[in-house]
Amino acid sequence: MKPVITRFAPSPTGTLHIGGLRTALFNYVYSKQNNGKFLIRIEDTDRERSTKEFEKNILDNLSSIGLTPDENPINQSERNEIYVKAAEKIIESGKAYWCDCSPEDLELMRKEQTEAGKKPMYDGRSRNLGLPKTDKTVLRLATPESGEIVVKDLIRGEIKFNNNELDDLILLRSDGTPTYHLCNVVDDFEQKITTVIRGEDHISNTPRQIHIQNALGYPELEYAHLPLVLG
Ligand code: GLU
């Protein structure tokens, strides 16, 4: 059996709240129960909302109650090159494409879909166009159009998602910066995480992230989505 490695991955856009603290505690306890490691990753790619003060508040609060990580925390804001390399690997494998749809195109697409009673989502129109990269194109993942993804959750059991309900998510923005999902998946691999324990508000992200893992040939992770702390 591989040693269990868990992580707490806060976005430093506010002080540590009770839900985050509970997520960190579960990650810590699960790793220690299994003689594994507990790591911390600061997901500070949202430059406008992330601050060093919030980061310090989160780390200080965790260490004040003994939730200290087994390695130094890493910051996503310092790891851009790693994510861009991963995106390049997906391009080489043919599982991503450049899309030049403007915000206006996307808005019109959403409007037409809503009017037709459909779920609004990117319809994959640039997928087979073989467009080149420009300063106006985003990189999208070519998500399988049929079949399903089964998330095996330690708390909820199997959760199934139809691939045709997932749109081709953006991996790189037009300015070349990586998106949240790509960074999250690449870092779970780079930090050798085995078990992702996080709030259930992330459940709908999980099948999308599994598609990115598959495109990169990463191993499967174990998941546990915790009910949210409300009120
Ligand atoms: N950065 C995310 C958040 O603060 C957590 C992502 C994750 O645990 O995968 O909600």
Side-chain angles (χ1 to χ4, degrees):
M1 273 256 296
K2 274 197 294 183
V4 168
I5 306 182
T6 64
R7 76 334 186 246
F8 177 51
S11 304
T13 54
T15 54
L16 184 66
H17 55 83
I18 191 75
L21 183 62
R22 201 262 310 247
T23 302
L25 179 64
F26 274 58
N27 274 288
Y28 182 86
V29 171
Y30 189 76
S31 69
K32 300 299 156 184
Q33 253 177 3
N34 290 286
N35 300 317
K37 277 195 207 171
F38 166 68
L39 306 183
I40 293 182
R41 170 168 85 233
I42 303 294
E43 297 206 320
D44 53 357
T45 48
D46 182 345
R47 300 277 165 95
E48 283 177 11
R49 292 171 56 226
S50 304
T51 72
K52 280 286 166 197
E53 288 71 37
F54 289 141
E55 179 181 326
K56 184 171 180 328
N57 170 280
I58 294 168
L59 294 174
D60 288 352
N61 276 314
L62 291 175
S63 77
S64 75
I65 54 162
L67 300 186
T68 43
D70 292 303
E71 288 173 14
N72 285 335
I74 61 168
N75 285 66
Q76 288 190 327
S77 57
E78 293 163 12
R79 298 166 56 79
N80 220 41
E81 261 174 51
I82 298 174
Y83 312 129
V84 171
K85 269 208 188 104
E88 282 163 1
K89 198 172 153 199
I90 303 179
I91 299 173
E92 278 160 27
S93 74
K95 294 192 179 114
Y97 62 91
W98 299 103
C99 165
D100 65 354
C101 290
S102 65
E104 294 74 33
D105 295 335
L106 296 173
E107 186 49 45
L108 185 64
M109 191 186 304
R110 266 193 289 273
K111 191 163 164 271
E112 286 173 355
Q113 289 165 331
T114 311
E115 280 169 9
K118 292 192 197 147
K119 181 177 155 188
M121 59 192 266
Y122 177 69
D123 64 4
R125 63 180 61 176
S126 300
R127 192 170 181 146
N128 298 314
L129 300 182
L131 296 174
K133 173 185 182 344
T134 70
D135 60 1
K136 293 203 172 49
T137 52
V138 298
L139 184 71
R140 287 185 184 270
L141 181 73
T143 308
E145 286 163 295
S146 58
E148 59 182 23
I149 281 278
V150 181
V151 177
K152 293 180 212 94
D153 191 276
L154 293 174
I155 297 170
R156 298 171 151 240
E158 289 193 349
I159 315 169
K160 290 188 181 151
F161 296 87
N162 287 327
N163 288 334
N164 63 13
E165 290 188 14
L166 304 173
D167 50 10
D168 289 348
L169 61 89
I170 297 175
L171 299 171
L172 294 180
R173 302 183 187 91
S174 54
D175 63 2
T177 56
T179 55
Y180 162 73
H181 289 301
L182 178 64
C183 304
N184 186 280
V185 168
V186 170
D187 281 340
D188 280 339
F189 175 74
E190 295 283 332
Q191 292 189 290
K192 303 191 172 54
I193 302 302
T194 58
T195 312
V196 170
I197 304 174
R198 59 187 175 189
E200 67 184 7
D201 48 332
H202 286 285
I203 284 187
S204 61
N205 293 336
T206 304
R208 299 168 182 281
Q209 294 177 349
I210 292 176
H211 280 304
I212 303 177
Q213 285 162 15
N214 291 345
L216 284 161
Y218 291 170
E220 266 184 39
L221 298 174
E222 194 173 50
Y223 289 94
H225 289 93
L226 304 170
L228 300 183
V229 178
L230 300 174

